[in-house]
Amino acid sequence: MLKLQNFKLNNVSLTSMMTATMLLSAALFSQMATAENRVVSAGAGITELVLALDASDELVGVDSTSLIPDELDAVAKLGYHRMLSAEGILALSPSILLGSEAMGPKNTLDILSNANVEVVTFPSANTKDELVSNVEQMGKLLNRESQANELKQKLDLSFNQLETKQQKISQHGDAPKVLFLLLQQDRPARVGGNNTAADIIINLAGGQNIAGFDGYKSVSQEGILALQPDVILISNRSEVDSTDPVSELLKAMPLLEHTPAGEHKHIKSLPSQALIGGLGLSAVAAADDLASDFISIKKL
């Protein structure tokens, strides 16, 4: 009997220990689960930073402007970053929403904040220092500070290379005259003026934006012809991808053939993600590529 009582006591103790262990494990798992971010990213430039900081494993949703690797096929695709749906985002049980100043609408952000989702808006970067500041802030938010430091070093190298290219361009005389055209289906082409994302890229590459106004405006073919751009940059925001956007542009606007850019075939596409959210990683890469083109043009 005594042995049986001991067995029961031991059995009860063992059961209690197992129960305690399971509860402890559950508590630890719960702490780990809540410690991990569930990130929704809105804006191509913002998502680029999330990926560059090696935080893709925390992504649960991105907006329609964001490009992510094919292997992240489990990440939900949301709507346009300016027209986000609170219902669609809340269904992902996010802990944090990261986005640019353009992210919205405001009532969606208010609903998410009231649902205890941390909503973080990053200012649009126009300079290297502002881009680096966004990298630092995101590194802290995502507990990726060491990755943020590595990314800052890479950006230092990229901007140093750009400065070297700018000096080479200036050694060959005046900066190339550049015109940017934003193409959208069923809408007239619009020229990107000062204080636009295209303007940042052109200046960073060592070119001269010849639009002569702020923001975006429609300009006639005759008006573009009069400006005589050395280089024309285009970006297509149509839903249907174009296989040959340059040929399509010249077919729609034949007078552009009579500009230096048209005559020498200096018409180049800019990736749309480089133009969203101010100065981002794609914009820096596009500027570097463009600066190399300018050097080639100046040597002709």
Side-chain angles (χ1 to χ4, degrees):
M1 181 64 71
L2 183 59
K3 289 182 178 178
L4 181 59
Q5 285 177 341
N6 283 342
F7 173 80
K8 286 182 176 177
L9 284 173
N10 290 339
N11 198 30
V12 169
S13 298
L14 181 61
T15 303
S16 300
M17 289 177 60
M18 291 177 62
T19 302
T21 301
M22 291 174 63
L23 289 173
L24 180 60
S25 298
L28 287 173
F29 178 79
S30 176
Q31 288 179 1
M32 290 173 62
T34 54
E36 292 176 356
N37 289 316
R38 290 180 59 82
V39 179
V40 172
S41 178
I46 299 300
T47 302
E48 282 180 349
L49 292 183
V50 173
L51 298 176
L53 294 178
D54 196 25
S56 61
D57 58 328
E58 296 183 350
L59 271 178
V60 295
V62 296
D63 78 309
S64 61
T65 68
S66 298
L67 293 180
I68 57 175
D70 292 341
E71 57 265 30
L72 297 180
D73 56 355
V75 175
K77 309 300 187 297
L78 304 170
Y80 190 52
H81 64 142
R82 294 177 184 270
M83 302 174 63
L84 296 172
S85 159
E87 185 179 14
I89 293 176
L90 286 173
L92 301 173
S93 302
S95 59
I96 187 168
L97 168 65
L98 307 175
S100 68
E101 289 175 332
M103 176 174 65
K106 184 178 181 304
N107 64 323
T108 291
L109 305 185
D110 289 342
I111 291 171
L112 295 172
S113 294
N114 291 333
N116 294 322
V117 177
E118 186 177 4
V119 177
V120 182
T121 302
F122 290 83
S124 180
N126 296 313
T127 65
K128 175 194 170 186
D129 288 346
E130 290 169 349
L131 175 57
V132 167
S133 176
N134 285 347
V135 170
E136 290 174 340
Q137 184 185 358
M138 190 176 290
K140 291 177 183 176
L141 281 169
L142 300 179
N143 297 316
R144 299 293 200 284
E145 288 168 305
S146 63
Q147 290 91 335
N149 287 331
E150 289 178 11
L151 182 55
K152 285 192 295 180
Q153 291 174 8
K154 291 178 182 176
L155 285 172
D156 279 339
L157 180 62
S158 296
F159 278 92
N160 288 340
Q161 289 174 343
L162 270 170
E163 188 174 346
T164 301
K165 291 183 178 182
Q166 289 170 7
Q167 291 171 355
K168 285 185 179 178
I169 294 165
S170 64
Q171 289 170 359
H172 287 82
D174 294 336
K177 296 189 297 181
V178 187
L179 196 76
F180 172 76
L181 290 176
L182 181 62
L183 309 176
Q184 291 176 284
Q185 194 171 15
D186 300 326
R187 295 185 62 175
R190 291 185 296 160
V191 173
N194 301 324
N195 302 313
T196 63
D199 183 56
I200 294 173
I201 293 172
I202 293 168
N203 291 324
L204 198 57
Q208 175 194 0
N209 187 356
I210 56 173
F213 50 78
D214 288 340
Y216 287 93
K217 286 184 181 179
S218 297
V219 177
S220 67
Q221 292 186 67
E222 291 79 5
I224 296 174
L225 183 63
L227 291 172
Q228 290 289 291
D230 298 313
V231 177
I232 294 177
L233 303 176
I234 60 175
S235 184
N236 194 328
R237 288 191 179 174
S238 297
E239 294 182 358
V240 180
D241 290 335
S242 172
T243 56
D244 191 354
V246 173
S247 295
E248 290 178 12
L249 172 69
L250 293 176
K251 185 177 179 181
M253 304 177 74
L255 286 183
L256 301 189
E257 291 267 20
H258 304 289
T259 65
E263 291 172 5
H264 299 293
K265 310 302 180 189
H266 292 157
I267 301 177
K268 178 184 177 70
S269 291
L270 280 182
S272 58
Q273 64 268 26
L275 300 164
I276 298 175
L279 180 61
L281 302 183
S282 285
V284 174
D288 186 79
D289 191 27
L290 187 59
S292 296
D293 290 342
F294 289 164
I295 291 172
S296 298
I297 291 170
K298 298 293 286 186
K299 287 180 179 178
L300 288 176

